[in-house]
Amino acid sequence: MRVSAFEWDQANISKVEAHDLSPDDVESLFAFGDPVFRRHSQVPGRFIALGFVPDGRFALVVFAYNKKRRSVRPVTAYEPTDPSWRLRYDAVKES
């Protein structure tokens, strides 16, 4: 997935920061966090990125993607507590 820009406003910044992450963490995950992308299973038009933020934490980002502009609008981001997310990530990276 090619990303040229991120769309941030106070609403999505607040959601990310509420989970002890920052917009820089999210952008770094896409650029350097070795991400795995999946379609959101319950919300059409949404995607999930799994990867690592600069301090080494494993994170999940829910986002919308504008293919024409190649822009990402993060909806929320957090460290998943369900171990199945890390297992899914590892399974893709091992294949």
Side-chain angles (χ1 to χ4, degrees):
M1 180 172 291
R2 300 181 85 190
V3 178
S4 297
F6 288 84
E7 299 174 16
W8 292 104
D9 60 27
Q10 195 54 50
N12 60 356
I13 291 171
S14 294
K15 287 184 181 180
V16 168
E17 289 177 344
H19 296 286
D20 197 31
L21 292 168
S22 69
D24 286 343
D25 288 330
V26 170
E27 292 183 19
S28 292
L29 183 146
F30 278 81
F32 311 110
D34 200 19
V36 168
F37 300 105
R38 306 176 57 90
R39 290 191 181 278
H40 196 291
S41 65
Q42 299 172 345
V43 183
R46 295 259 171 97
F47 298 88
I48 294 171
L50 301 168
F52 295 90
V53 297
D55 65 8
R57 292 180 291 164
F58 182 70
L60 180 154
V61 180
V62 178
F63 66 97
Y65 182 67
N66 182 311
K67 196 174 190 178
K68 185 176 181 179
R69 292 193 318 244
R70 291 191 228 161
S71 65
V72 165
R73 177 170 176 73
V75 175
T76 191
Y78 57 92
E79 294 177 74
T81 57
D82 181 343
S84 69
W85 288 111
R86 180 60 190 262
L87 293 173
R88 293 174 196 178
Y89 176 87
D90 290 342
V92 170
K93 290 302 178 180
E94 291 172 359
S95 61

